[in-house]
Amino acid sequence: MRSLLLAASALSLAYAAPALADAPAADPASTAAAALAPVPPGKLTDAARPLAYRLDLSVDPAQERFSGHVEIDATLKAPSQFIDLHGRDLKMARVTASAGGKVLTGRWFELDPSGVARLVFDEPLPAGKVTFSFDYDAPFQQGPSGMFRVKVGEDWYSWTQFQSIDARAAFPGFDEPGFKVPFTVTLRTRKGHTAVSNAPEVSTSTEGDWQVHRFAPTLPLPTYLMAMMVGPFATLEGKVAPTPQRKTPLPIRIVTTKQNADRMSFALEGTKGIVTHLERYFNQGFPYPKLDQITTPILPGAMENAGADLYADPILILDEKAPTSQKRSFGMVVAHELSHQWFGDLVTPAWWDDIWLNESFANWMGFRIGHEWRPNLNIRAGALAEGFSAMNTDSLVAGRAIHQPIQTNAQIDEAFDSITYGKGGHVVAMIAGYMGDTKFRDGVRRYMAKHRYGNATSTDFFAAMAEASGDPRIVPAMQSFTDQQGVPLVTFAADGKGGYRISQSRYVRLGTTAPAVRWGVPVCVRKTGGARQCQMLTGESAGLQLRGKGVLVPNLGGTGYYRFELPARDWDALIALADRLPGGEALALDDSLYASFLAGRASPAQLVASARNLARNKDSYASEAGMGSIGALARTGMLDQAGEAGFRRLVEQIYRPRLAAMGFDPKAGAYAGEDPERSQQREQVVGELVGSAKDPALRKQLASAAQAYFAGDANALDPAWFGMAFAVLVDEGGLPAAKTLTNKALASQDPVFRPYALGVVAGSGNAEIARWVLNDFADPRLRKSERLDMVRTVISTRETRDLGFEWLKANFDQLTNGGGGIFSAARLPAVLSGFCSVERSDEIAALLRPKLKGRTGALELERTVERVRSCGVLKDKRGAEFSAELAKVK
């Protein structure tokens, strides 16, 4: 699973999971069924275990509902009159159980809004083997959860997205990762439709008006990794040639909606390369008999269904002329999802508390293998940028550890956040760097071999690492990061003897206190003229003697998951070196300096000096980091009028000379053959000058290019400039321009243009446009997912967030009925995180705490409340000082 909310993307999320809904009033029969035993709030008991599934579903995406006949072979631990399992919003026509030579008819009750169901029989079922049979129908979802459908052009398509607990909305079953068994799937579709599932299709026949697609039995899988896609798809087939790890060719296929038919080749060829890199790393062939790479227009991320990965359209639908950012997204996300085919699908967590291991490892692998696939895209550096970003969440008092107990269904989706992906991936990188790449890889291979096609836990993974490393300190050090919340702050103090005394504490922002925590921190440093030095800091402090001369670099390669604090002299020397540091070390500098300012220590002058120097760094992630930090503070509304003007002058001073040296041509493909890092930096430069500095010449140039593009000249504007150019048109043309752009978006099925255009309208910052989006905009072509995305963007945009918050107060239920599953509910409150006021923090808490108590989203609400309050404290304490420093820029 990879959510694009955690990566750079034009897409946004605005759904809420069904767990947010209140349960309907129970009838007497349901009350009696619930009284038989406590309803499991999370994990089911071990009373029944599935052995195999047979799914036979009739799926016509043009209809509002689908139907199914499901058989589950299971074994009962003891005789029982009832069985607990899962199903949500299933209209059950008939349920039977065949056991002990008898067929018993059961009654179906859904007892919990998260989808816990109970089968009740008139007499006890005997212990041992039993086969349950279900006949039912259910609604298609409108958002990307369960079995969902979308109209693209004139055609309807359906897909499935089951992680974490949404398979139960498509078929009854035991919807937990620890139940890993074979599935045999039959899909009945309208004639001419393509059907896709996890295993190869073995036969196709016609029965009346239905085309029947039968698939081979799968290898053992949990419910959340199942896939069933139906529609008039376009496909492109190929094979991955044999490798030393795999003796036969691997069939692969790109599967997408019709309008993308001419843009599948890049994904096909790119997938081939990434598969071979992964096979080499794991030293195992691809673990399934085929691979389908499938796209959908409304999934805000990607999903690792075994042998049938699902992606948002823009991830796979591109070509060599695509912007660097889109090619980076392809490399990272595809490598992430395909690494899951081994780490997650082949070896699966026993329960959701270990999902961090899946996602953290896959995140690290996504950046690593993506970088190996195309080194010139500098994909690897994105892992560190994401890890440092996660520190902003991990430093909050409201939070969680990477590895935490999950006791209720409402807590499951909250585990899919920046802590799991960003922090988890960074911790994996830190341990791999400390162990050495070869030893870490050997530990991974040992873990995979031992648990192949089964389930495993964090304890199993740690045991494999300990064996491979031969260092008994590795496991407790790693567990100190996975099992505890917070970010270590490593403080360097000169010892008067040419070395340093280093100490550890928990990093906190200004005005915040947090419980003390102790880590095993692998501290790796260097002097600019010296060699790498590492030591494990397990106590409160330790001495550090450095070899060589030069400037202290306190986080070698940026791989350490910690922030650092330096004496003023060392800060100034490191800042002066910012333009020459390797990318990871430059990112570590920016993160720690920014964090020091937020904690009340670093000065605004140091932030400005660092931003100026970082902007000249050759690494595109590093070059945007310093101004990105200052811009983040500016967007909170912390600056006064003089500070805002100074900020715009600073942007002009830094970026105008760089653009003059680079040149700028908005035409399509103008920089197609250029070094990707240079192209990416040009996008950053133009974005800052157009968005932050409001540079009139650039805005006029982009507006002219956009007008020519809409007049029919497809070469007038490269997709890299869509967002900026469209934003200028809307900014200058107001509501009429917004309506025109919206109409063009809805008339298009282009997976890049359509979301960019709708996002620009929603994020215009124009109050009149925002009110139209919230209150008056209605069009049958607008998908519900797009509507919710636009609402979310209005609320999270600085200029319209007050207006948006007032709308949210009156329309909260509209945002909590979207069925967006894992992509939504846990992060819904984050749309309010841009506020910067103690008073607003209290208002958000008073509004949403009663609505989210005990439900998915409660944790993100507390994070949001703390972010808004902390920002308000910082604004009151340091806003004037920061504004005064920027006002000095002339």
Side-chain angles (χ1 to χ4, degrees):
M1 167 66 64
R2 173 72 189 183
S3 167
L4 289 183
L5 191 67
L6 303 170
S9 173
L11 300 176
S12 58
L13 315 181
Y15 300 99
L20 286 171
D22 291 321
D27 58 56
S30 295
T31 300
L36 292 171
V39 177
K43 201 171 187 178
L44 297 175
T45 69
D46 62 353
R49 293 190 65 86
L51 301 174
Y53 288 78
R54 290 174 294 281
L55 308 181
D56 189 332
L57 274 60
S58 298
V59 182
D60 180 358
Q63 305 303 312
E64 294 185 352
R65 302 179 71 86
F66 61 94
S67 61
H69 173 78
V70 170
E71 297 178 359
I72 307 174
D73 296 334
T75 182
L76 303 188
K77 185 177 182 180
S80 180
Q81 191 176 350
F82 69 91
I83 298 297
D84 288 335
L85 70 169
H86 296 111
R88 189 173 65 234
D89 297 330
L90 307 180
K91 184 180 179 181
M92 201 61 64
R94 178 176 168 82
V95 181
T96 64
S98 300
K102 301 173 68 174
V103 178
L104 302 179
T105 299
R107 288 167 288 155
W108 169 268
F109 300 96
E110 294 181 17
L111 300 180
D112 179 274
S114 70
V116 179
R118 181 165 287 169
L119 285 179
V120 180
F121 298 89
D122 292 335
E123 60 182 90
L125 298 173
K129 291 186 177 181
V130 59
T131 296
F132 298 105
S133 296
F134 307 84
D135 291 289
Y136 67 99
D137 64 88
F140 285 103
Q141 304 299 310
Q142 296 185 58
S145 66
M147 182 173 284
F148 63 97
R149 67 176 190 143
V150 177
K151 190 176 185 181
V152 183
E154 298 302 315
D155 298 304
W156 284 95
Y157 301 80
S158 70
W159 299 264
T160 56
Q161 161 54 39
F162 290 155
Q163 194 178 49
S164 56
I165 56 171
D166 289 316
R168 60 192 67 178
F171 59 89
F174 298 83
D175 195 14
E176 294 182 2
F179 296 125
K180 198 169 179 182
V181 300
F183 286 74
T184 302
V185 175
T186 298
L187 293 175
R188 300 171 188 271
T189 73
R190 292 305 176 192
K191 294 177 181 178
H193 279 195
T194 297
V196 181
S197 191
N198 305 83
E201 188 172 351
V202 294
S203 71
T204 304
S205 60
T206 301
E207 295 181 12
D209 293 333
W210 294 93
Q211 191 168 330
V212 183
H213 307 260
R214 291 183 170 86
F215 298 85
T218 70
L219 293 161
L221 293 176
T223 49
Y224 83 88
L225 290 175
M226 288 302 297
M228 293 170 282
M229 324 303 189
V230 171
F233 292 109
T235 63
L236 180 63
E237 299 181 2
K239 293 182 184 295
V240 186
T243 63
Q245 297 80 25
R246 176 177 37 79
K247 295 181 179 180
T248 60
L250 173 69
I252 64 171
R253 184 170 56 166
I254 308 301
V255 181
T256 188
T257 52
K258 287 180 179 179
Q259 85 284 355
N260 298 327
D262 61 343
R263 286 183 287 174
M264 295 188 283
S265 296
F266 184 96
L268 185 72
E269 295 306 314
T271 296
K272 293 178 183 178
I274 290 171
V275 166
T276 58
H277 281 288
L278 286 164
E279 290 180 325
R280 187 178 306 121
Y281 184 86
F282 289 114
N283 198 31
Q284 294 182 27
F286 190 79
Y288 300 99
K290 61 87 178 175
L291 172 62
D292 286 319
Q293 299 277 74
I294 309 154
T295 83
T296 176
I298 70 167
L299 188 78
M303 178 62 205
E304 67 270 17
N305 308 309
D309 279 0
L310 183 63
Y311 301 85
D313 277 351
I315 298 173
L316 295 191
I317 305 304
L318 70 162
D319 57 29
E320 282 291 351
K321 295 181 180 179
T324 297
S325 57
Q326 193 179 6
K327 286 188 279 193
R328 280 178 172 174
S329 178
F330 172 88
M332 187 275 157
V333 178
V334 170
H336 176 115
E337 300 306 330
L338 293 184
S339 73
H340 271 312
Q341 300 291 310
W342 287 265
F343 210 105
D345 296 8
L346 180 66
V347 180
T348 306
W351 178 242
W352 295 113
D353 55 356
D354 281 319
I355 196 65
W356 74 270
L357 188 55
N358 269 22
E359 299 301 342
S360 299
F361 179 82
N363 220 49
W364 178 73
M365 283 292 283
F367 288 107
R368 176 201 173 97
I369 298 299
H371 186 87
E372 288 183 7
W373 167 69
R374 287 279 186 94
N376 66 335
L377 292 174
N378 193 26
I379 292 173
R380 187 196 296 267
L384 300 179
E386 195 168 283
F388 288 124
S389 177
M391 289 184 186
N392 294 323
T393 298
D394 199 25
S395 62
L396 299 172
V397 177
R400 66 175 189 87
I402 299 174
H403 182 215
Q404 64 168 10
I406 292 181
Q407 298 171 337
T408 70
N409 288 322
Q411 294 174 325
I412 294 171
D413 283 355
E414 289 183 334
F416 293 84
D417 63 0
S418 64
I419 298 303
T420 290
Y421 292 86
K423 178 180 181 177
H426 205 138
V427 169
V428 169
M430 178 173 66
I431 298 300
Y434 187 81
M435 285 178 61
D437 193 64
T438 299
K439 286 185 178 181
F440 184 80
R441 183 204 63 197
D442 290 347
V444 170
R445 290 178 176 179
R446 179 176 283 132
Y447 168 79
M448 300 298 298
K450 187 172 182 178
H451 303 285
R452 185 178 174 88
Y453 295 113
N455 295 96
T457 66
S458 297
T459 301
D460 298 320
F461 181 75
F462 292 144
M465 290 297 110
E467 292 174 13
S469 69
D471 184 345
R473 299 174 301 170
I474 287 294
V475 171
M478 192 168 185
Q479 287 178 314
S480 75
F481 282 89
T482 61
D483 295 352
Q484 298 183 120
Q485 179 192 349
V487 180
L489 176 67
V490 179
T491 299
F492 291 71
D495 64 3
K497 303 175 184 179
Y500 294 88
R501 191 75 187 169
I502 58 174
S503 60
Q504 65 163 299
S505 60
R506 181 173 176 177
Y507 171 82
V508 292
R509 291 178 60 163
L510 184 65
T512 302
T513 57
V517 179
R518 183 75 57 79
W519 292 267
V521 187
V523 179
C524 292
V525 302
R526 68 180 177 96
K527 284 283 188 83
T528 51
R532 172 184 188 265
Q533 289 182 236
C534 293
Q535 70 182 61
M536 187 72 75
L537 178 62
T538 56
E540 183 177 342
S541 64
L544 176 67
Q545 295 299 316
L546 290 174
R547 298 182 296 274
K549 297 181 179 181
V551 177
L552 170 66
V553 180
N555 189 344
L556 182 71
T559 59
Y561 189 81
Y562 56 84
R563 284 170 163 165
F564 54 80
E565 191 63 65
L566 302 176
R569 181 176 177 178
D570 291 281
W571 269 128
D572 292 343
L574 190 61
I575 289 169
L577 194 66
D579 58 330
R580 286 158 284 163
L581 289 172
E585 293 172 356
L587 288 171
L589 159 63
D590 174 71
D591 173 76
S592 288
L593 184 64
Y594 179 62
S596 181
F597 177 80
L598 297 183
R601 293 185 289 270
S603 70
Q606 287 175 309
L607 283 184
V608 172
S610 179
R612 289 184 185 277
N613 288 343
L614 282 168
R616 296 194 298 271
N617 196 289
K618 294 181 179 180
D619 183 283
S620 63
Y621 288 98
S623 65
E624 68 176 341
M627 283 304 293
S629 295
I630 292 178
L633 292 170
R635 285 190 295 275
T636 66
M638 185 176 296
L639 300 177
D640 60 22
Q641 188 173 359
E644 291 273 8
F647 173 62
R648 289 192 294 272
R649 291 193 296 271
L650 180 63
V651 172
E652 283 280 357
Q653 285 184 11
I654 290 175
Y655 291 114
R656 171 52 65 183
R658 294 190 62 203
L659 185 63
M662 288 180 166
F664 175 59
D665 183 350
K667 290 187 177 66
Y671 303 107
E674 188 178 47
D675 173 64
E677 281 285 87
R678 184 175 176 85
S679 292
Q680 185 65 20
Q681 290 190 330
R682 181 183 290 101
E683 290 183 38
Q684 296 165 6
V685 168
V686 174
E688 287 287 354
L689 288 170
V690 171
S692 299
K694 306 295 182 184
D695 184 278
L698 269 180
R699 289 169 67 87
K700 182 178 180 181
Q701 188 177 7
L702 283 169
S704 296
Q707 289 164 354
Y709 177 82
F710 288 129
D713 183 359
N715 293 318
L717 187 66
D718 192 273
W721 316 114
F722 276 0
M724 302 173 208
F726 300 162
V728 173
L729 289 183
V730 171
D731 192 31
E732 295 179 352
L735 182 57
K739 289 183 176 180
T740 298
L741 182 58
T742 300
N743 187 59
K744 291 181 181 297
L746 297 182
S748 171
Q749 300 299 330
D750 186 279
V752 175
F753 169 77
R754 181 171 172 135
Y756 260 127
L758 294 176
V760 161
V761 171
S764 68
N766 180 303
E768 184 181 20
I769 295 172
R771 291 189 184 95
W772 173 71
V773 169
L774 295 175
N775 302 315
D776 301 319
F777 176 35
D779 191 302
R781 297 171 297 173
L782 184 70
R783 300 162 186 150
K784 186 173 183 179
S785 61
E786 293 170 331
R787 161 71 178 163
L788 294 174
D789 275 349
M790 294 183 77
V791 168
R792 175 190 179 277
T793 302
V794 168
I795 298 171
S796 59
T797 297
R798 173 186 172 183
E799 295 83 359
T800 55
R801 60 185 171 218
D802 288 317
L803 181 157
F805 184 49
E806 293 304 312
W807 183 92
L808 177 65
K809 292 178 184 178
N811 296 274
F812 182 79
D813 289 345
Q814 186 179 136
L815 283 180
T816 57
N817 290 322
I822 192 172
F823 292 104
S824 62
R827 292 182 285 274
L828 176 63
V831 298
L832 302 173
S833 291
F835 284 110
C836 189
S837 158
V838 174
E839 295 74 20
R840 186 67 87 181
S841 172
D842 293 339
E843 190 176 0
I844 293 169
L847 173 69
L848 294 184
R849 274 180 178 153
K851 296 178 181 294
L852 295 176
K853 184 178 180 180
R855 297 174 173 179
T856 302
L859 174 59
E860 189 57 38
L861 171 62
E862 295 308 315
R863 287 170 169 166
T864 296
V865 169
E866 185 178 343
R867 286 187 188 105
V868 174
R869 176 176 293 277
S870 178
C871 183
V873 170
L874 183 71
K875 179 180 179 180
D876 293 342
K877 297 286 187 180
R878 307 204 71 180
E881 175 192 8
F882 187 43
S883 292
E885 182 62 34
L886 288 174
K888 295 177 184 178
V889 178
K890 301 298 181 184

